[in-house]
Amino acid sequence: MTSNLISDLSLVGTVLAALTDGMQLLAILVAALMGMGLVKVFDYLRKRDADKEAAQIVERAELEAKSLRKEAAIEAKELALQEKDRLERENNDIRNALHERERHLDKQEDAHTQRSEQLLKQEKMVENNQRRLAEKLEDANRRQKELDDLLNLERQTMHQLSGLSPQEAEERLLKRLEQELVREQGALILRHEKQLAETCDKKAKELLITSVQRFAAAHTAEATTSTVDIPNDEMKGRIIGREGRNIRSLEKATGVDVIIDDTPGVVIVSAFDPVRREIARISLNKLIADGRIHPTRIEELVAETEKEIEGEIRRHGEEAMQEAQVFGLHNRVIELLGRLKYRTSYSQNVLRHSIEVAFITGMLAEEMGMDGELARRAGLLHDIGKAADHDLEGGHPKIGADLLKRYGEVPEVVHAALGHHDDIRPDMPYTVLCAAADACSASRPGARRETLDRYIKRMQELEAIATSFSGVRQAFAIQAGREVRVIASSSDTTDESSAKICRDIAKAFEEQLTYPGEIKVTLIRETRVTEIAH
């Protein structure tokens, strides 16, 4: 019983164990089925969400595409409207141009029609005139023939009455006519010459007075100084330097002579070239202000001053050109014009004198109906040779004419520069006007500050040097000292010795005098033979 119970219990346990295992399997199956179901459910839900999202994306894409199509259609319509407007405007412009061309052609056609009608009328008038002229010519020929017949008859009658041949009568008539014409011609020429001289003199005075009154310029001219003030006499020693090296360096760099004498507080700068003298003066002032005076510093300051003076010369030339209203000058001519700022003639500044001559010449030309601009150009450049007369040989008129010709100036300007001192025969009217304006500018009261005593003294010095030579009888300084005429004795000199005397006088002027430009020496020797017939 006990064993049965045990076996039964074992069996029950086995059954329970089997049931337990079955329950586990069932639970596993159920769990697996539920997992599969959940997966399918999840897949279904995911797929439904994906389809829904895809549908939304497609719907949005369709909306965007529809919007883009609408915008594209609007833009296309706008472009079409713009293109249509442009084409319409172009068509309107072309249509207006065609209408304008058509109106122009209509006007031309009307003009041609009128011209044709006028030509037809003129042709008819010409035909009528030709017919009338032919009739008058025929009548004139007929009358001329009648007159010729009458003259021949009268001539024959006169020849018969006078007893002269036709040749003798013609010669007597021509001789009488010639005598009468000569008398009348001489009287007429004298009368017209007198009237012309009076008219020209009166007109010239009126023109000069009017031109000088119209131009108001400063009568007092600037004077170029050649002295430099120093603070004390100790500065003179510093300027000279050890064994004179400083003053030699300054003279070598500037090309001037520096004169240091016993005059207190002054150093004198001497040079024929006014530009070099001005460079030396400014450089010396800079050295005195700087205090460092030695050869290297002198060369540096002189080079710096030369550049400054070059700029100043260019500026003065351009200002003078603008003031005189003369344009288109060569760069070299402008520089030469600026150099005249530092040049004086008898204490009159040459640049201011040239500007004044330019205005007076221009106003004289305008009063006479000539080219005022060309006249101002000739007046402004007439003394340009004075800017280079220290570097070139010859008088400033010839030097200026050569320079102006070299730099492309017109013949009127070149001739005015060459002949404004009446050294040559004036072949052009602008030369005469320039010479008159030059004389007016130089003779203004106060224009040239040189006194009469100094002028006479300079003339006497020239004549005294010339007459100091053996064989010279008389000497005359003319043209403000630019020329000296020497009269040599024919008994004390020969042709060969007179040439040597003329050369010696010119050398004496060069050695003993200081003057701008040149002095022309003309020696005259002649032999006169006189006999008396009893």
Side-chain angles (χ1 to χ4, degrees):
M1 185 171 183
T2 304
S3 60
N4 290 333
L5 183 58
I6 293 171
S7 60
D8 290 337
L9 289 173
S10 300
L11 182 60
V12 171
T14 303
V15 173
L16 290 172
L19 289 173
T20 303
D21 293 335
M23 290 295 290
Q24 290 178 350
L25 291 172
L26 183 60
I28 292 170
L29 289 173
V30 171
L33 291 173
M34 290 179 66
M36 292 175 62
L38 290 172
V39 169
K40 289 183 178 181
V41 171
F42 288 151
D43 290 339
Y44 172 74
L45 293 175
R46 190 179 299 109
K47 182 178 180 183
R48 187 182 64 183
D49 293 339
D51 292 340
K52 185 176 180 181
E53 186 176 357
Q56 292 177 354
I57 292 172
V58 171
E59 184 177 0
R60 284 197 302 270
E62 290 178 353
L63 291 174
E64 291 179 358
K66 186 176 181 180
S67 175
L68 291 174
R69 283 196 298 273
K70 288 182 179 180
E71 292 178 356
I74 292 170
E75 290 180 358
K77 288 180 180 179
E78 290 179 353
L79 290 174
L81 290 174
Q82 292 177 359
E83 186 67 19
K84 183 178 179 181
D85 292 340
R86 186 181 64 80
L87 293 174
E88 287 180 356
R89 286 195 301 271
E90 290 180 355
N91 290 331
N92 290 332
D93 294 339
I94 294 172
R95 193 179 297 110
N96 293 332
L98 290 175
H99 288 326
E100 185 66 25
R101 183 65 177 172
E102 185 177 357
R103 287 195 297 270
H104 183 65
L105 291 175
D106 291 340
K107 290 181 180 179
Q108 287 184 347
E109 185 177 0
D110 294 338
H112 287 307
T113 303
Q114 293 177 0
R115 193 176 294 111
S116 300
E117 293 176 355
Q118 291 178 357
L119 289 174
L120 290 175
K121 292 179 180 179
Q122 290 178 358
E123 288 178 359
K124 291 180 180 180
M125 292 175 63
V126 169
E127 291 176 358
N128 294 330
N129 291 333
Q130 287 179 349
R131 186 172 61 255
R132 287 195 296 270
L133 286 174
E135 294 174 355
K136 289 182 178 181
L137 183 61
E138 185 179 356
D139 185 56
N141 291 331
R142 181 177 55 79
R143 293 186 178 184
Q144 183 66 35
K145 186 177 180 181
E146 293 177 355
L147 289 174
D148 291 340
D149 295 338
L150 290 174
L151 287 173
N152 289 330
L153 180 60
E154 184 179 358
R155 189 179 297 111
Q156 292 175 2
T157 304
M158 290 180 65
H159 289 325
Q160 292 175 359
L161 293 174
S162 63
L164 297 174
S165 64
Q167 291 79 9
E168 293 175 350
E170 184 178 358
E171 289 178 358
R172 288 188 180 185
L173 180 61
L174 291 176
K175 188 175 181 179
R176 182 178 298 176
L177 288 174
E178 183 178 0
Q179 292 175 354
E180 292 178 357
L181 287 174
V182 167
R183 288 195 298 269
E184 293 180 1
Q185 183 181 10
L188 186 64
I189 289 173
L190 290 175
R191 185 169 65 252
H192 282 287
E193 283 184 350
K194 184 177 180 181
Q195 292 177 355
L196 183 62
E198 293 175 355
T199 304
C200 290
D201 185 62
K202 181 180 179 182
K203 188 64 176 176
K205 290 179 180 178
E206 291 177 355
L207 290 176
L208 286 175
I209 292 171
T210 303
S211 300
V212 172
Q213 286 178 347
R214 286 175 58 191
F215 181 74
H219 292 186
T220 303
E222 298 177 359
T224 302
T225 181
S226 58
T227 60
V228 178
D229 296 330
I230 57 176
N232 49 56
D233 290 341
E234 180 186 355
M235 185 61 67
K236 290 183 179 180
R238 298 182 61 186
I239 293 174
I240 295 172
R242 182 180 300 174
E243 299 179 356
R245 62 176 185 174
N246 290 343
I247 193 171
R248 285 197 302 271
S249 298
L250 181 60
E251 290 179 344
K252 181 180 179 181
T254 57
V256 303
D257 294 330
V258 180
I259 302 172
I260 300 177
D261 53 15
D262 296 335
T263 305
V266 172
V267 174
I268 301 174
V269 178
S270 175
F272 286 124
D273 192 333
V275 177
R276 289 182 181 178
R277 186 169 62 244
E278 185 69 10
I279 292 173
R281 187 186 67 83
I282 296 175
S283 301
L284 194 54
N285 281 326
K286 289 182 178 179
L287 286 170
I288 293 171
D290 186 31
R292 295 176 294 169
I293 304 177
H294 52 82
T296 303
R297 184 59 179 168
I298 290 172
E299 293 176 359
E300 292 176 357
L301 283 179
V302 169
E304 178 184 341
T305 306
E306 286 178 351
K307 292 182 180 179
E308 294 177 0
I309 292 296
E310 288 176 2
E312 288 293 318
I313 289 173
R314 178 77 182 183
R315 183 175 61 83
H316 291 317
E318 292 176 349
E319 289 177 354
M321 183 177 69
Q322 294 291 333
E323 183 177 354
Q325 299 177 8
V326 175
F327 306 101
L329 296 178
H330 192 277
N331 290 332
R332 179 57 179 163
V333 176
I334 296 175
E335 292 176 2
L336 291 172
L337 195 62
R339 289 173 68 92
L340 296 179
K341 175 72 174 179
Y342 303 97
R343 172 69 189 270
T344 58
S345 178
Y346 305 111
S347 300
Q348 184 181 26
N349 186 271
V350 179
L351 182 58
R352 298 309 310 170
H353 164 70
S354 299
I355 294 173
E356 185 174 359
V357 171
F359 278 106
I360 295 176
T361 308
M363 286 184 284
L364 285 173
E366 290 170 355
E367 291 285 342
M368 298 177 63
M370 299 167 63
D371 189 349
E373 183 177 354
L374 180 59
R376 286 196 302 274
R377 195 181 192 92
L380 181 65
L381 302 179
H382 79 285
D383 267 347
I384 199 71
K386 289 186 177 180
D389 59 355
H390 295 295
D391 303 325
L392 302 175
E393 293 183 358
H396 74 271
K398 185 178 183 304
I399 294 173
D402 293 340
L403 290 172
L404 294 175
K405 186 176 181 180
R406 183 189 307 170
Y407 296 121
E409 287 297 329
V410 295
E412 290 83 355
V413 177
V414 176
H415 194 270
L418 182 61
H420 70 276
H421 282 312
D422 297 328
D423 297 331
I424 60 173
R425 177 182 176 181
D427 297 330
M428 299 183 180
Y430 294 97
T431 304
V432 180
L433 297 180
C434 186
D438 181 53
C440 290
S441 176
S443 61
R444 278 177 177 269
R448 295 186 172 183
R449 292 197 297 268
E450 186 179 43
T451 62
L452 180 61
D453 293 338
R454 290 181 59 190
Y455 181 83
I456 294 175
K457 183 179 179 182
R458 187 171 69 253
M459 299 294 102
Q460 290 175 346
E461 286 179 352
L462 292 172
E463 295 173 356
I465 293 174
T467 54
S468 65
F469 286 84
S470 176
V472 176
R473 293 172 54 189
Q474 290 177 310
F476 304 96
I478 60 176
Q479 291 190 4
R482 296 186 182 91
E483 183 177 357
V484 177
R485 298 283 177 90
V486 180
I487 309 298
S489 173
S490 59
S491 59
D492 297 337
T493 60
T494 62
D495 291 340
E496 292 78 9
S497 63
S498 61
K500 183 178 184 302
I501 292 172
C502 185
R503 177 61 182 167
D504 292 341
I505 292 173
K507 293 292 291 182
F509 288 160
E510 294 177 358
E511 295 172 356
Q512 300 179 28
L513 300 178
T514 300
Y515 51 88
E518 65 179 9
I519 299 175
K520 180 180 178 182
V521 181
T522 302
L523 189 142
I524 301 171
R525 176 184 177 272
E526 64 177 359
T527 302
R528 293 189 181 184
V529 179
T530 305
E531 292 289 343
I532 299 175
H534 297 284

